[in-house]
Amino acid sequence: MEMNESSSKFVDQFATEKLLQDKLLKTRHSPENSIFKEDPFPFKDFGKIGFDAARVKLVEEKGTYKILQLPSPIVTEAYPENNVIYLHFHPAKNARGNVLLVHGLYDDNVVNYNFLIQLLNEMGFNLYLFILPYHYQRKPAASMFSGEFFWSGDLFRSQHAAKQAVYDIKATVGFIEQYTPLPTIIAGFSMGGNMSLRYFLLEDAVEGLFLINPVTRLSQLFWESPLLRFVQKDLESAGYDLERVEEIFRAVDPVKNMDHPFVGRPVTLGYSIYDQIVSEAMYLKFVEQFKFPTVIRYNSGHLNILRVPKLASDIAQHFHSVVSQAI
């Protein structure tokens, strides 16, 4: 199903303005007096992280899916709600593989993913929806909305949140290997795509990676995204410029940690040509740097790509392609 250009752009613009008016304009954050410290080497202990199956809990059964909980490798005393990983597990009948789906920034409605989850289930994939730090059930009591503490003017907390997301993905992959031992790929949407890519650059433990409208340059996001223009003003008021922000996020930004292009690697990039959150020009620069072996363009916007049936088919095709090459 092709999406209309004007309606796709309208959905993105409406969602951006709603986020700004209802949430982002009502909060103010600053790097000053942050409880977090800048970490120039956030992944120095990445290889030491393991997974303890005995600490997994079933939180809730909700009809066709379960909510599972496992401990995060990163513990923050100030936000105990954020110290556990939540997975929404949608099992498939006669499953042939697993898809770990990582959602987007400020996401607060899992219904947005139901269509894609349903199609992938019908195609024979167990679906794990991974909850990013500070979102959904991980939202601290002090936070106004889902994701507020993940990405804000408190740069050191945001750097820490990105680090935690990558460590949590690693722990989740270890869990999936034991819980449903089938070939696994990651599908990361928007900010979830950026976090998944950073994980993928650190560890070769899944069969493939499918990026869906990913954030392209994490360290420049405050200066490039229309959604974050007021957060940028908060940073400038605190005396921070783009150069300093890039320095803080250098270690967690995939673009800053790419040693060689993805030629021959099991990675697919899917992006929307009507995207109003991440421009097509930014995607094209992303493609040029990473040399993705497969690039798929969708006639959709940033958000309504999740309603494009072809997306599920392309994820399935990516899975079959990378798994057959691995045999």
Side-chain angles (χ1 to χ4, degrees), residues 113-132:
Y113 299 92
N114 282 355
F115 183 70
L116 178 60
I117 290 171
Q118 179 184 344
L119 291 183
L120 287 170
N121 272 168
E122 292 172 354
M123 294 175 183
F125 296 99
N126 293 321
L127 198 294
Y128 291 87
L129 177 62
F130 168 90
I131 303 302
L132 285 169

Side-chain angles (χ1 to χ4, degrees), residues 5 21 25 52 61 132 150 305:
E5 178 178 357
Q21 297 298 325
L25 275 173
D52 183 1
E61 291 196 59
L132 285 169
F150 187 96
I305 191 174

Side-chain angles (χ1 to χ4, degrees), residues 250-313:
R250 186 174 305 279
V252 295
D253 189 345
V255 164
K256 305 293 185 181
N257 294 275
M258 185 62 184
D259 296 328
H260 53 80
F262 270 143
V263 176
R265 298 289 302 281
V267 183
T268 292
L269 169 65
Y271 76 87
S272 296
I273 63 175
Y274 306 141
D275 197 325
Q276 301 300 290
I277 308 298
V278 183
S279 70
E280 185 170 17
M282 291 167 65
Y283 287 130
L284 293 175
K285 289 180 181 179
F286 200 48
V287 170
E288 176 60 27
Q289 176 165 0
F290 281 84
K291 301 292 190 298
F292 294 99
T294 305
V295 178
I296 304 172
R297 300 164 76 247
Y298 295 92
N299 293 343
S300 61
H302 191 82
L303 296 174
N304 63 16
I305 191 174
L306 298 170
R307 298 289 302 175
V308 177
K310 187 176 182 295
L311 176 62
S313 300

Side-chain angles (χ1 to χ4, degrees), residues 1 11 23 32-34 58 75 89 142 150 152-153 160 164 172 175 191 232 248 256 272-273 279 284 286 300 308:
M1 179 175 64
V11 168
K23 298 177 180 178
E32 304 304 315
N33 303 314
S34 175
L58 172 63
V75 174
F89 174 50
F150 187 96
S152 73
H160 188 269
Q164 184 175 23
T172 299
F175 161 70
M191 178 63 81
Q232 178 190 340
I248 293 169
K256 305 293 185 181
S272 296
I273 63 175
S279 70
L284 293 175
F286 200 48
S300 61
V308 177

